[in-house]
Amino acid sequence: TWLLRALAGAREVAWGAAAGFGVVQMQRAEVVYGGMPSVTSHVAVIFSTSQSLIGGGIVEVQAPPFYKFSCRAADGFNVLFIPGLRACDDSGHGLRLHLNQTIAAGDYAFTAGVTNPAFTPSKNEFSVLLLDKDGGVTDARVGLEGARIVQGLYLSPPKIAFSSSQKGAEAEIQVTLKVSNTLNPQETLGPVRAIQIAVPERFTLIVKEPVRNLDGLPTPEAAWYHLYYVEGLVRVDIVASEKAQPKNVPTGNYRLSFQVRLPEFWMPNVNIWRLSLCRDLLCTDPISTLPIRGFQFGDSAELAQAAGAPGPTQQQSGHGCRCVRISVLLLGATAVLFQAVTS
């Protein structure tokens, strides 16, 4: 509500009130980082805008003063598909990308380094702003609630490796969970009952192939993984049931391997994979979610391309649909049908 007062000297002679107008925030914005205390890790900034920055401008992330962002590639900075990066400024509280090319309306993401505080700040809010060349705000999302800093959460930035980066290829993906100190369910952290990996859009999970636990991550004897085709989720159980005794996750690097089909035409602008540690088996209560920057077409594969699909090592319990891709060439349809009928 807007208020108006009319004064004659110090005497009020009239007043009025009028309804205000709503402020339309940016369509979508996220600041994704793991809640490890006093650790330098990776942060992903994701946003969707309906506005354009003609000729360039600034993408600004405002952070609480207890966080320190980094533009160093060694700390995790990568601009991904944001065009025309002229400079990255990590002085002050947050980060600024200075751009010299137009940003059209759409979805975008980038990663950076971030050093977390020792405890969750009392006001733990972030903002994402788009500024034009004159410094005017064209779109913004303010008051984004940050991740909670979790005592006892000792992780290093996770890693992704792949067997192919060719368009439309079937590829093995290995996501590595790096535990730098034992995750003890008896400490403040609480129990970790499941781990979940979210696959970016345009990637397709191949649910007929198993998940492989390559380094002995503690899991039940059987039925310990689940593949969700529609949602693009891979979930690994640490315990057999909600009532089962929680387990320690010892220090170490744990690789989880599964199969995907790469996009056929272009990578998603938001090429961010997510690794979540969860308090419950359905992962409705995540302890923390860590972002992983994806790879691009043509990147050098770190894994050997297998000659055939790997055989299952433990029982599969995927809940996603099992789908077979069928490609039909129109010119050969008559011959195929004839053969099918006469054979």
Side-chain angles (χ1 to χ4, degrees):
T1 302
W2 295 69
L3 300 176
L4 176 68
R5 294 178 67 200
L7 301 175
R11 184 169 61 92
E12 182 178 84
V13 295
W15 64 273
F21 53 89
V23 176
V24 179
Q25 296 216 62
M26 185 181 286
Q27 292 176 347
R28 170 198 179 194
E30 296 179 78
V31 179
V32 184
Y33 59 95
M36 294 81 74
S38 303
V39 167
T40 298
S41 187
H42 297 166
V43 58
V45 179
I46 302 166
F47 62 92
S48 299
T49 179
S50 59
Q51 306 299 313
S52 297
L53 293 180
I54 305 300
I58 295 173
V59 178
E60 180 176 353
V61 181
Q62 296 178 353
F66 307 98
Y67 293 86
K68 177 58 182 172
F69 278 60
S70 172
C71 291
R72 297 177 65 243
D75 290 336
F77 177 75
N78 192 294
V79 77
L80 294 178
F81 289 105
I82 296 180
L85 178 67
R86 180 171 59 84
C88 178
D89 178 10
D90 57 13
S91 62
H93 305 314
L95 179 146
R96 282 187 158 205
L97 303 183
H98 296 264
L99 310 174
N100 57 16
Q101 292 184 24
T102 296
I103 281 193
D107 301 330
Y108 296 94
F110 66 91
T111 60
V114 64
T115 302
N116 292 339
F119 299 94
T120 307
S122 57
K123 187 175 183 181
N124 194 31
E125 294 182 348
F126 295 77
S127 297
V128 179
L129 300 87
L130 300 186
L131 292 80
D132 60 25
K133 293 186 294 183
D134 298 322
V137 177
T138 63
D139 205 358
R141 190 74 175 242
V142 300
L144 293 167
E145 187 66 28
R148 186 171 64 90
I149 303 300
V150 182
Q151 304 304 311
L153 182 63
Y154 305 111
L155 303 175
S156 297
K159 180 184 176 183
I160 188 169
F162 50 93
S163 64
S164 176
S165 62
Q166 302 304 309
K167 294 180 178 181
E170 290 189 10
E172 177 187 0
I173 300 294
Q174 287 183 9
V175 172
T176 303
L177 170 68
K178 297 185 175 185
V179 180
S180 52
N181 204 344
T182 298
L183 304 179
N184 186 343
Q186 304 304 320
E187 295 184 355
T188 308
L189 169 70
V192 178
R193 292 189 171 90
I195 292 171
Q196 181 170 277
I197 300 166
V199 175
E201 64 176 3
R202 300 188 191 142
F203 285 81
T204 303
L205 275 177
I206 300 177
V207 298
K208 63 184 176 68
E209 300 295 345
V211 177
R212 295 189 297 155
N213 180 359
L214 300 177
D215 300 301
L217 177 73
T219 64
E221 289 294 328
W224 54 271
Y225 69 86
H226 316 269
L227 293 162
Y228 299 93
Y229 175 85
V230 175
E231 296 86 354
L233 297 175
V234 179
R235 190 172 304 147
V236 172
D237 297 339
I238 304 298
V239 295
S241 69
E242 297 286 354
K243 296 182 179 179
Q245 180 68 29
K247 301 177 181 180
N248 284 348
V249 180
T251 301
N253 295 336
Y254 300 99
R255 292 171 298 161
L256 296 170
S257 170
F258 53 94
Q259 302 284 319
V260 302
R261 184 182 298 278
L262 272 61
E264 294 194 13
F265 301 106
W266 55 82
M267 284 288 188
N269 279 3
V270 182
N271 193 0
I272 302 294
W273 303 61
R274 304 186 193 214
L275 174 67
S276 298
L277 278 67
C278 307
R279 291 188 179 88
D280 64 319
L281 289 173
L282 294 180
C283 220
T284 59
D285 186 14
I287 298 170
S288 188
T289 295
L290 288 73
I292 311 172
R293 175 174 52 85
F295 55 93
Q296 308 297 336
F297 290 135
D299 285 355
S300 297
E302 302 177 36
L303 306 176
Q305 182 72 53
T313 57
Q314 297 195 44
Q315 178 181 345
Q316 175 161 347
S317 57
H319 293 266
C321 70
R322 291 159 175 75
C323 304
V324 178
R325 173 176 293 193
I326 300 175
S327 299
V328 178
L329 183 62
L330 183 60
L331 293 177
T334 303
V336 171
L337 285 173
F338 177 77
Q339 183 179 7
V341 171
T342 57
S343 60

